[in-house]
Amino acid sequence: MRFAVVSFTRQGNMLFLRSFMILFLSCMTIKINLCFPSLLSSLKTLPINGHFDFEHVHHAAKDFGNRYSFLPLAVLHPKSVSDVATTVKHVWQMGPGSELTVAARGHGHSLHGQAQAPGGVVINMGSLQGLEMQFHTGNFPYVDVSGGELWINILRQGLKHGLAPKSWTDYLHLTVGGTLSNAGISGQAFRHGPQISNVQQLEVVTGKGEVVNCSEKQNSDLFYGVLGGLGQFGIITRARISLEPAPEMVKWIRVLYTDFATFAKDQEKLISGESNFDYIEGFVIINRTGLLNKWRSSFNPQDPVQASKFKSDGRTLFCLELAKYFNRDETVGVNREIKSSLSQLNHVPSTLFLSDVPYIEFLDRVHISEIKLRSKGLWEVPHPWLNLLIPRSKIQIFAQHVFGNILTDTSNGPILVYPVNKSKWDNRTSVVIPEEDVFYLVAFLSSAVPSSTGTDGLDHILIQNKRILEFCEIARLGVKQYLPQYSTQREWKAHFGSRWEVFARRKSSYDPLAMLAPGQRIFQKAIPYSQ
């Protein structure tokens, strides 16, 4: 009998523990309904025109990086700016005792969970796309657009007015608020600066739920703080963007180099002074054969016979990519200009490839690749991207070590390399860039093959990225990350350097509870941060 009693007690304890664990896990899984009914009900009763979704929230825990996934409590689908302000103000009024945070999510093209809000509220900015674009023509044209609008839609609508933004990103299916929260860089940046250098005015919802209009002359501290501010000071709900007359066509040109020093020298020559080209980029080609044959489907070699004789022999090559905008009635003069400009470069002559394409087709070129990759199931894979801004004085050292030693096999995606002029960037914004007058963007845009343990696998690419960063630190190259990712505030302070004090002050002013953009992992809500 004594043994039976002990046995029963153990069974009872095990049963209790098992029941407790089931209850605990159930509570964690459906804490919205069981553990925090007050949070749920308080959001449900908010007077908004849009709606909250508390069930279908999994899409808000995914992004293009496809490496981090944190479920939110709710997703807000706003119909108006007041919906955004009402929600943010409600969370603000809950005070520091609430762990609820808020993140704005555009097209979900973030890389490291930056647009996610674990257990918080994700605002689907795409719901604001319905707000009408307002184009203003004249000597200084501009467009007023929603922060949730896609750049491709601005392009399409702008062309109806014969206008287009001056500066772009290489991929246009991104939201205005998303790119302006980072910088927005592409091959036009050498001339017009990044997208944040072409904004006249913003409407922002701060971390207190206040709707603030800001510009260079009105609430300028918030204006410059939000531009490149990684979503830390407010949510961009509307923007006024400078425009220029849109061309009809583009001369799209590619030429090859076998030597990085010559390649870089020509790039720097092109971005200095008055270049005849409107777009200048470059990329690295590592151990890849048959490249020119691949280009033939969309590019025409200037000298087909000579081009057919070019052999890469597995060498690392450097491609200079150029574009000249023009209208059809300017073709003869543009051809003459291009010929003159190219004659001053030192590329391999037989590798000159050209193509005439419509302006919109050139700008939206990455989307064509997206469609192909989606059809093969290769778009929604992990993207362990690494984007670096490197001072001009250090780019040769970087290229020699990274392209010559660390990267020895075919890359798993494009490697972009091109210089920009610091004079086209405004140092009042929150973006951190190298100190030199010219610096390079070097972007390793890798795609990892799921479940692969080879050189195209996620682990291998992450180790490779780590080696690159470690070399930059050991060699003291003065490199800054673009689209940065850090896990500790100490690392963020090192990233911002002398600008950390201003960044922290702005956070304290516009989002004192540190409830906005928690996925950036810069500040933590309800925990004091030092200035």
Side-chain angles (χ1 to χ4, degrees), residues 413-479:
I415 303 175
L416 305 183
V417 182
Y418 58 91
V420 293
N421 296 308
K422 184 183 178 183
S423 62
K424 302 298 181 179
W425 296 61
D426 196 315
N427 61 10
R428 291 172 291 184
T429 68
S430 293
V431 175
V432 180
I433 59 178
E435 293 297 326
E436 297 185 7
D437 291 340
V438 173
F439 59 91
Y440 279 75
L441 170 70
V442 181
F444 302 89
L445 309 182
S446 303
S447 296
V449 177
S451 73
S452 173
T453 57
T455 58
D456 56 359
L458 178 60
D459 289 343
H460 176 85
I461 298 171
L462 290 175
I463 291 173
Q464 188 171 266
N465 288 349
K466 183 180 179 181
R467 288 182 62 196
I468 293 171
L469 290 172
E470 287 176 346
F471 167 72
C472 292
E473 184 173 356
I474 293 172
R476 298 184 179 182
L477 301 187
V479 169

Side-chain angles (χ1 to χ4, degrees), residues 31-50:
K31 66 180 182 180
I32 295 173
N33 297 318
L34 294 180
C35 298
F36 302 105
S38 59
L39 288 178
L40 193 67
S41 59
S42 68
L43 292 175
K44 284 182 175 179
T45 57
L46 289 180
I48 59 174
N49 299 312

Side-chain angles (χ1 to χ4, degrees), residues 382-399:
H383 294 95
W385 286 7
L386 177 63
N387 296 271
L388 305 175
L389 302 176
I390 303 174
R392 173 186 175 275
S393 65
K394 306 295 184 180
I395 192 63
Q396 297 291 341
I397 299 173
F398 179 90

Side-chain angles (χ1 to χ4, degrees), residues 106-180:
H107 207 220
H109 209 75
S110 299
L111 298 174
H112 309 288
Q114 289 102 328
Q116 299 177 28
V121 177
V122 171
I123 300 177
N124 174 26
M125 298 302 291
S127 294
L128 292 177
Q129 283 186 35
L131 299 180
E132 185 179 357
M133 295 186 211
Q134 298 177 0
F135 285 87
H136 298 260
T137 59
N139 293 330
F140 303 99
Y142 63 86
V143 61
D144 286 324
V145 296
S146 162
E149 193 59 80
L150 298 181
W151 287 98
I152 182 62
N153 293 336
I154 299 175
L155 175 60
R156 289 169 178 158
Q157 293 300 315
L159 290 178
K160 296 178 182 179
H161 300 270
L163 298 169
K166 302 173 182 178
S167 189
W168 299 96
T169 53
D170 287 331
Y171 180 62
L172 303 188
H173 295 251
L174 305 172
T175 60
V176 169
T179 65
L180 296 185

Side-chain angles (χ1 to χ4, degrees), residues 7 10-11 18 70 86 143 164 203 285 304 307-308 317 345 352 361 389 452 475 502 513 524 528:
S7 177
R10 287 178 178 174
Q11 289 178 7
R18 184 179 179 186
F70 301 101
T86 296
V143 61
E203 178 186 70
I285 305 155
S308 65
L317 301 174
L345 303 181
L352 173 57
E361 183 178 320
L389 302 176
S452 173
V502 172
L513 292 185
Q524 189 170 348

Side-chain angles (χ1 to χ4, degrees), residues 298-311:
S298 55
F299 288 82
N300 298 314
Q302 185 185 51
D303 189 334
V305 175
Q306 288 298 313
S308 65
K309 296 179 180 179
F310 178 80
K311 304 294 181 183

